[in-house]
Amino acid sequence: MFTQARNQLNTIRDLLRFAVSRFNQAGLFFGHGSATAYDEAVYLILHTLHLPLDQLDTFLDARLTNDELLQIEHILTRRMIEKKPAAYLMHQAWLGDYSFYVDERVIIPRSFIAELLQVQLEPWIHDPDNIHFALDLCTGSGCLAIMLAHVFEQAEIDATDISSDALDVATKNVLNYHLQKRIHLIESDMFAGLTGKRYDLIISNPPYVNAESMAALPEEYRHEPSSALASGVDGLDATRHILSNAADYLTESGLLIVEIGHNRDDLLAAFPQIPFTWLETSAGDAFVFLLSRDQLVADSGKSRK
């Protein structure tokens, strides 16, 4: 498909138009950082050429060398044939203003909790300096733990994952941000490796995809570790475990924040007695809930000390 292109496409503008056409023709799915074929083509082309991602207009009419054209041809072909997300092809993903190394050992960072961290979880946390110990449960690439460390500068952060492969990736990102003295990566199946620990804040973006949705995932998502996506028949297995155990790991005034995808209705049906607070995100208030330790203890029907 690129034979004719090599002879007739000369500029980034030319190549961008060509890439968008081919991406649309290939029926690619976009949900790992880019929303459209155009956005993804811009990202792949500029990244491959080592150009600033926010300066497309400056370089649109720049002519490409033969070597540059071949490099872009290679990456665009892989995106179309392998259906591999751009983040894996480039080994880079963005969450807000933060860039992270990623590969297929971890899911590609995407979380509404990141939006909430950017405003220091206001108004639920009045003084960020009062967060001394925080936990990122199911950390994956370590992205939310790193954001926690930047937002709550006085906090020590534990970040857990059941996957040693994921923690290898997280280690790379923690080192890249020079946060190895404040972020402690722990291999743990949920809370199993945290005996005796208490946190002022626990956040989690756990697996939450239900069985029906797992069976219908676009090919791009099948490059991600299924264990980081799937969570039982209704998508709530991990969330149930968190709700049952989180109070034992929170300080007296501690807060729990959990992302649950599109499972709000099922969660409310399963736990009608719990007074969830739903946090507003760019997609609405159906995706992230907040609970205090007191609310979790009240639900358990017993005192936890």
Side-chain angles (χ1 to χ4, degrees), residues 1-224:
M1 70 179 71
F2 281 90
T3 302
Q4 189 177 31
R6 293 191 197 107
N7 299 321
Q8 298 185 15
L9 302 181
N10 299 309
T11 67
I12 291 177
R13 187 189 301 274
D14 294 338
L15 197 61
L16 177 58
R17 196 285 306 161
F18 180 81
V20 172
S21 295
R22 293 299 173 267
F23 282 5
N24 287 333
Q25 183 182 37
L28 301 184
F29 186 87
F30 307 101
H32 294 95
S34 299
T36 65
Y38 174 84
D39 290 341
E40 187 125 314
V42 168
Y43 171 71
L44 287 172
I45 292 169
L46 292 180
H47 193 288
T48 300
L49 294 173
H50 307 287
L51 293 174
L53 299 179
D54 59 351
Q55 295 184 27
L56 173 64
D57 289 346
T58 302
F59 299 103
L60 265 176
D61 294 309
R63 293 173 63 88
L64 300 169
T65 67
N66 288 334
D67 285 346
E68 288 174 332
L69 186 58
L70 288 172
Q71 291 172 16
I72 295 172
E73 173 188 334
H74 174 71
I75 209 70
L76 298 181
T77 299
R78 289 191 65 195
R79 180 66 182 94
M80 287 182 282
I81 293 176
E82 298 177 24
K83 300 293 179 67
K84 187 176 290 190
Y88 287 150
L89 294 173
M90 299 288 98
H91 295 304
Q92 180 189 50
W94 289 84
L95 199 56
D97 295 329
Y98 297 85
S99 173
F100 302 100
Y101 172 87
V102 293
D103 59 35
E104 288 165 278
R105 293 174 290 177
V106 295
I107 63 170
I108 296 167
R110 50 189 183 277
S111 176
F112 292 119
I113 293 176
E115 299 178 12
L116 302 168
L117 289 176
Q118 288 175 337
V119 294
Q120 297 180 308
L121 296 174
E122 291 182 344
W124 312 106
I125 292 177
H126 302 292
D127 184 356
D129 288 343
N130 284 336
I131 303 298
H132 302 290
F133 299 98
L135 168 65
D136 175 21
L137 195 69
C138 308
T139 194
S141 63
C143 56
L144 291 179
I146 288 166
M147 294 185 73
L148 274 174
H150 281 93
V151 170
F152 301 109
E153 296 181 353
Q154 305 305 313
E156 294 287 321
I157 314 294
D158 284 347
T160 69
D161 205 285
I162 193 173
S163 167
S164 60
D165 285 340
L167 291 174
D168 286 343
V169 175
T171 297
K172 184 177 182 70
N173 284 314
V174 169
L175 291 173
N176 285 344
Y177 278 96
H178 309 291
L179 287 168
Q180 60 269 27
K181 292 184 178 180
R182 290 183 53 214
I183 296 178
H184 314 291
L185 298 171
I186 303 168
E187 186 174 343
S188 175
D189 184 358
M190 290 296 194
F191 296 102
L194 301 174
T195 303
K197 289 179 173 284
R198 295 269 184 168
Y199 301 96
D200 303 304
L201 173 66
I202 297 174
I203 65 168
S204 186
N205 183 20
Y208 55 64
V209 182
N210 63 41
E212 181 180 1
S213 296
M214 283 296 296
L217 284 177
E219 192 170 345
E220 279 83 352
Y221 284 93
R222 299 190 181 280
H223 289 276
E224 297 185 291

